[in-house]
Amino acid sequence: MTVKITKPEINVREQLNELKKPAGVAGEAMLRAETPQEQQALIGLGRRNLLINGSMIVAQRGTSFGPSVNVYYGLDRWKTSRYAATNFLVTQEDNSYSGEFASPHFIRVQRQAGDTSANALSLHQKIESQTSKLTRGREVTFSFWYRTGVDYTAKVLRADINGTTSTGSISYWAYTAGGFLKSLFLEPTNNVWKKATLTYQVPNTVNELAVVFGWESPNLPSGTAGSNEYFDIAETQLELGSVATPFEHRSYGEELALCERYYQKSYDKDAYVTGSTSLSTVGSVDHYGSSDATNVLAQVYFRTQMRDAPTVTTYDPNSSNGGNAYAGRAYVASNSGTASYNTTTNNIGSTGFRSYVPKNGAGWAAHRIIFQWQAVAEL
Amino acid sequence: MYEIIDERTVRRILDGSGIPLAEGNSDYQKVLDDIIEQGADCFEGDIPTELQTAADAKEFAQQVVAYTAATARIAQYILSVGREEVVESQPTGEQVYNEETFEMEDVMADVVTQTAIEPLEATVEVTVHGDDPEAEPTVETVPNPLIVADDAERAEAQDVIDSTPTPVKTYVEEQ
């Protein structure tokens, strides 16, 4: 029996043309990759950002700082220094969502209106040595969104990748020892957001890296500051490789846990150690001592293991005693009344500490110690 | 000001903070810096021996780094003097048989181990524009700024060397 089969005609030329799909360099590299690992490396999936709180979302210390001191940590992991002048403000601002970036916040560093000093200023984040060493002998790319206010007077906004072969402090701009850097000088943007990237071949001797923003001689501000002399920074990312990939969004909880390795507090999330205003007892340590103990003592365990044994400060949370004015103290209630007492804090390690108030003689038959605390293990 | 709480903790009197004696704690490093700079003035009572020892060790390490950098800076040639060529006779890797001594001997060749560098001009001419935009600019002769900077850096390095204690110099030279 003969079976007759018919098949539709095929235009071989058309089929070949279909194979000529437009493929960019990245697409071809993906096709050439021989393993899923190679493909993943090309895409750069996950855990790319070496910076912590690059989205400026975590603000455990508060959302508005200045202008009383010249060096301080504002938003988590970001430290601001101004040389011999204090008239500057640091704030966490809300994204107005005009389409440039997706993160809900950005950081603003502002020369206070009316300020006439032209001193250097830097906003920087140091990266822990064990993370910095990942970049030894490799290219890194620093990317971020930025804009400057309409009253910005410095000729440029400077952005650096800064590093040192030792450990040490950043003295406003440069590491004090063994330092090297690569700089980007950005034109003022008149309140328009722009994205910038900076790629750097890191020396294989690097021990600690940092990223830095701000103004430095000879590009300093001039004259009397207007009300809009600021620079804004958003979505900062430092990653391995020569290409700036899209910003890696981490959840608030994830970012907070990363920040807590360097800073923790007992206060509720929107209560901060600022000024001498009343502070809530929410979250505070509240401990009853036994009547025959020598000290009224409380042991505290950190939520996250800290980078190293931190500096610990207790605060009296009583409504009339709160804030920095009552640092190093605790509220004690006993059968002889209530009062604020100095605490002694010791046994400090990366997982916890203890604080106590020596028992005040026979007057304390029953006693209770209450305090808030913060622990700082910044670089 | 600080005071000791126990063998592992210092209290910062300003805010009552407890500072652990942990090398990685930046406030502990500040305690050591303050002891180096202010001595006993920054402490209530005597400075504990352990802290004083740590401060001394930190100061020694800082002086070693500063002295090493200063001596390296001084060892660089002086821009206003330049540098002479240095030629050394070095073995080429070949050997020939010496019929008089009956031994194999290295073939030697002159190798330039340091190239000569001419001294910089002591002065340079710069064009100076006055306040009047229509006036002709003038040419002035000034000391070469590269030489000025070189001399200043060398003087600074020499000051570091002169002020470095002898035990630090001895330590560096023995390394």
Side-chain angles (χ1 to χ4, degrees):
Chain A
M1 188 176 82
T2 304
V3 178
K4 191 175 181 182
I5 299 171
T6 58
K7 292 172 79 176
E9 285 185 3
I10 297 173
N11 185 329
V12 176
R13 193 176 300 277
E14 278 182 8
Q15 293 287 313
L16 288 172
N17 280 338
E18 277 182 23
L19 290 173
K20 289 181 183 174
K21 287 182 179 173
V25 175
E28 287 184 6
M30 190 61 106
L31 287 172
R32 278 198 301 273
E34 293 186 349
T35 65
Q37 285 79 7
E38 282 183 27
Q39 290 180 320
Q40 184 170 352
L42 284 167
I43 299 171
L45 290 171
R47 302 288 171 226
R48 286 168 287 123
N49 199 352
L50 303 180
L51 299 175
I52 295 173
N53 201 21
S55 63
M56 313 296 177
I57 196 171
V58 181
Q60 291 189 88
R61 294 173 177 87
T63 56
S64 178
F65 308 88
S68 57
V69 291
N70 68 328
V71 180
Y72 55 79
Y73 277 89
L75 306 189
D76 278 63
R77 299 295 297 119
W78 292 97
K79 186 177 186 181
T80 320
S81 311
R82 191 169 191 202
Y83 179 72
T86 60
N87 294 331
F88 69 98
L89 309 167
V90 175
T91 49
Q92 183 192 53
E93 301 285 331
D94 294 333
N95 186 359
S96 59
Y97 290 103
S98 49
E100 291 86 359
F101 56 91
S103 293
H105 297 290
F106 58 89
I107 191 169
R108 171 166 294 176
V109 180
Q110 181 166 6
R111 192 170 163 231
Q112 193 178 24
D115 175 41
T116 54
S117 53
N119 299 19
L121 177 145
S122 75
L123 167 73
H124 65 256
Q125 181 175 143
K126 289 169 73 174
I127 301 168
E128 210 172 318
S129 178
Q130 59 184 341
T131 306
S132 297
K133 285 176 180 174
L134 295 174
T135 69
R136 281 185 167 183
R138 303 173 73 177
E139 277 188 319
V140 293
T141 297
F142 180 33
S143 60
F144 54 90
W145 285 91
Y146 72 100
R147 72 176 175 185
T148 57
V150 294
D151 295 331
Y152 191 81
T153 57
K155 288 179 189 163
V156 295
L157 169 65
R158 183 170 149 183
D160 283 2
I161 296 173
N162 208 318
T164 180
T165 54
S166 60
T167 55
S169 58
I170 290 184
S171 179
Y172 301 101
W173 272 92
Y175 272 100
T176 49
F180 46 83
L181 58 84
K182 185 165 186 183
S183 301
L184 198 59
F185 297 95
L186 303 161
E187 295 287 330
T189 69
N190 203 24
N191 215 36
V192 174
W193 283 104
K194 291 189 175 179
K195 185 160 188 178
T197 63
L198 174 64
T199 297
Y200 180 47
Q201 176 76 40
V202 179
N204 57 17
T205 53
V206 72
N207 190 57
E208 198 174 281
L209 271 183
V211 295
V212 191
F213 298 99
W215 56 71
E216 164 68 318
S217 179
N219 300 304
L220 294 166
S222 58
T224 302
S227 55
N228 291 302
E229 179 150 9
Y230 57 77
F231 64 84
D232 294 338
I233 303 293
E235 292 195 350
T236 57
Q237 181 156 287
L238 183 71
E239 60 194 307
L240 291 168
S242 58
V243 176
T245 62
F247 183 74
E248 177 181 72
H249 292 280
R250 293 192 285 242
S251 70
Y252 179 85
E254 241 180 319
E255 207 73 71
L256 176 64
L258 293 173
C259 293
E260 283 184 338
R261 180 171 162 76
Y262 304 87
Y263 177 89
Q264 288 186 44
K265 62 174 184 176
S266 59
Y267 298 102
D268 206 19
K269 70 182 178 67
D270 294 326
Y272 314 113
V273 187
T274 51
S276 58
T277 54
S278 299
L279 291 170
S280 165
T281 55
V282 173
S284 64
V285 175
D286 192 337
H287 184 77
Y288 287 85
S290 68
S291 59
D292 58 351
T294 307
N295 304 312
V296 195
L297 184 149
Q299 176 73 39
V300 173
Y301 298 99
F302 298 133
R303 291 180 293 276
T304 305
Q305 186 183 74
M306 301 197 74
R307 181 187 66 82
D308 204 332
T311 298
V312 176
T313 311
T314 65
Y315 298 90
D316 181 341
N318 180 274
S319 58
S320 61
N321 296 336
N324 281 330
Y326 280 76
R329 300 174 82 93
Y331 182 73
V332 175
S334 72
N335 59 332
S336 57
T338 59
S340 185
Y341 284 89
N342 287 331
T343 54
T344 295
T345 301
N346 64 358
N347 273 15
I348 305 170
S350 59
T351 56
F353 69 94
R354 71 176 188 181
S355 279
Y356 62 88
V357 173
K359 194 175 168 187
N360 188 17
W364 288 8
H367 41 258
R368 177 186 178 197
I369 182 174
I370 308 170
F371 61 87
Q372 298 276 20
W373 56 267
Q374 69 170 3
V376 183
E378 296 285 1
L379 292 165
Chain B
M1 288 285 279
Y2 307 97
E3 65 180 354
I4 194 77
I5 291 177
D6 56 32
E7 69 279 7
R8 288 182 296 173
T9 321
V10 161
R11 184 208 306 271
R12 183 167 57 204
I13 293 173
L14 175 70
D15 61 1
S17 296
I19 301 174
L21 307 189
E23 207 163 296
N25 183 295
S26 55
D27 288 314
Y28 170 64
Q29 292 301 326
K30 178 75 167 59
V31 172
L32 298 184
D33 291 342
D34 287 345
I35 292 172
I36 292 168
E37 286 174 20
Q38 303 168 34
D41 289 347
C42 70
F43 236 82
E44 284 276 332
D46 294 335
I47 300 173
T49 308
E50 188 187 342
L51 269 178
Q52 187 62 61
T53 303
D56 292 343
K58 183 172 185 178
E59 186 177 25
F60 189 89
Q62 288 171 340
Q63 288 170 333
V64 165
V65 170
Y67 180 73
T68 305
T71 49
R73 181 65 187 86
I74 289 289
Q76 292 175 4
Y77 77 95
I78 303 169
L79 295 185
S80 60
V81 175
R83 193 172 72 177
E84 290 186 353
E85 183 179 88
V86 176
V87 178
E88 284 181 10
S89 183
Q90 294 182 351
T92 62
E94 284 183 50
Q95 289 193 319
V96 291
Y97 184 69
N98 186 327
E99 293 179 346
E100 293 177 2
T101 61
F102 307 110
E103 289 180 350
M104 297 297 288
E105 288 183 352
D106 289 331
V107 175
M108 306 296 284
D110 286 346
V111 176
V112 177
T113 55
Q114 177 180 286
T115 56
I117 298 176
E118 291 294 313
L120 294 182
E121 293 290 334
T123 58
V124 293
E125 291 183 342
V126 293
T127 305
V128 179
H129 297 269
D131 294 336
D132 181 359
E134 295 188 359
E136 284 292 314
T138 57
V139 176
E140 291 182 7
T141 302
V142 298
N144 190 325
L146 293 174
I147 292 177
V148 171
D150 185 47
D151 289 346
E153 287 176 15
R154 296 182 68 83
E156 195 178 328
Q158 191 60 52
D159 285 346
V160 171
I161 291 170
D162 293 344
S163 62
T164 302
T166 304
V168 175
K169 292 179 179 174
T170 307
Y171 173 82
V172 173
E173 282 153 16
E174 287 175 352
Q175 295 304 299

